[in-house]
Amino acid sequence: MTDTEITPFTVHIDQAELDDLRSRLDHTRFAPAAPGDGWEYGTPTSYLRDMVERWKQLDWREVEARVNAHPSYLTEVDGQTIHFVHVRSGVEGAKALLLAHTYPGSFLDFLDMIELLRDDFALVIPSMPGFGFSTPVVDRGWTMARVARIYDTLMRRLGYERYGIHGSDGGAMVARELGLLDPPGFLGAHVLHLFSFPSGDPAEFEKL
C-alpha cells in the first residue's frame, strides 16, 4: 500500500483460528468460587462461566456477513494502517458523518445504524488505531488528538471537505479533539459523553 492508496478489505477469519478459539473456550479452567460468588473479590465464577458460554454460542460467520454487507477499506495514515467502513449516501449532496466508536469498542457498534442514516449522510466508520482491523499499532504516542488528526486526513482523502462527527466514550474524546482542532469545513460534533468538570463560571464555556 502506498501512503494514500485505499484498498478494498473483506473480513475473513481462517476456520483454524475459530477452531482454536473454540478449543480454548472448551478447556477454560475456572477458579473455585469465593463464598457467595459476588463481586467483592473480583469477577464471580458464575458470571465468567456464563460469559464463556455466550462466546461459544457466537456465530462469527454471521458477524462476518453483517460486516461484509457494507464496503470496508484499508489505507495508511501517518504510518498506521486504518480500517474503515465507507457507505455513500443515495442522496446527492448529503453531508458526511464520521462515526467514532467507544473505548473499548469497535466499528461493529454502528452497523445497525447504517441503514437508518445512509439516506441523510455519507458514512465513514473507522477502527481506531489499535482496535479491530486497524492493527497492529506501529509506534507509540497515540493520543486522542493524534487520532483526531488521522480521522481528518482520512475524511479529506475520501473527498469530504465538510463533515461532522458523532462519538461515544473514547469516540467522544476524539470528537472533542476535532472540535478543538477545528479543521476547515468541520461542521460540528455530537457526543454521548462530555468529559468535563465545570466550575460553574459561565466564562469557561465562551470558547467551547
Side-chain angles (χ1 to χ4, degrees):
M1 235 173 5
T2 65
D3 287 345
T4 60
E5 183 181 0
I6 296 173
T7 60
F9 177 72
T10 299
V11 175
H12 178 76
I13 304 300
D14 289 342
Q15 187 59 44
E17 296 290 338
L18 301 180
D19 293 342
D20 177 65
L21 175 59
R22 178 56 189 252
S23 177
R24 291 169 184 261
L25 293 172
D26 285 339
H27 293 89
T28 301
R29 297 176 65 183
F30 298 96
D37 200 26
W39 287 92
E40 297 88 345
Y41 302 108
T43 304
T45 299
S46 59
Y47 181 93
L48 191 56
R49 286 183 181 276
D50 179 66
M51 182 182 296
V52 169
E53 287 303 314
R54 289 171 185 264
W55 269 106
K56 289 161 66 174
Q57 294 168 20
L58 176 69
D59 182 352
W60 174 252
R61 296 305 182 202
E62 186 274 333
V63 176
E64 282 187 340
R66 288 178 57 221
V67 173
N68 292 328
H70 307 288
S72 274
Y73 303 90
L74 299 177
T75 194
E76 185 178 298
V77 184
D78 195 14
Q80 176 67 42
T81 295
I82 300 296
H83 161 260
F84 61 97
V85 173
H86 184 200
V87 179
R88 297 187 182 276
S89 173
V91 177
E92 185 176 353
K95 291 182 174 65
L97 178 63
L98 194 157
L99 300 176
H101 67 74
T102 63
Y103 173 86
S106 79
F107 72 100
L108 295 171
D109 298 342
F110 294 115
L111 289 185
D112 290 341
M113 297 174 63
I114 290 175
E115 294 305 321
L116 299 174
L117 295 173
R118 67 184 305 172
D119 285 345
D120 298 305
F121 299 97
L123 301 172
V124 179
I125 312 172
S127 295
M128 190 182 297
F131 288 75
F133 300 104
S134 291
T135 52
V137 176
V138 296
D139 59 9
R140 298 172 61 87
W142 282 101
T143 63
M144 294 301 187
R146 184 178 177 187
V147 174
R149 294 192 296 271
I150 291 285
Y151 285 179
D152 182 62
T153 299
L154 173 64
M155 294 302 285
R156 295 177 194 286
R157 184 171 298 176
L158 293 172
Y160 299 117
E161 296 299 324
R162 292 166 53 82
Y163 69 93
I165 183 173
H166 161 80
S168 174
D169 192 72
M173 297 173 73
V174 176
R176 173 189 180 274
E177 294 296 337
L178 264 174
L180 293 174
L181 182 64
D182 193 23
F186 183 64
L187 298 176
H190 177 268
V191 297
L192 294 184
H193 294 72
L194 183 61
F195 295 89
S196 64
F197 301 91
S199 66
D201 179 1
E204 68 186 341
F205 291 104
E206 286 180 356
K207 295 183 179 181
L208 183 65

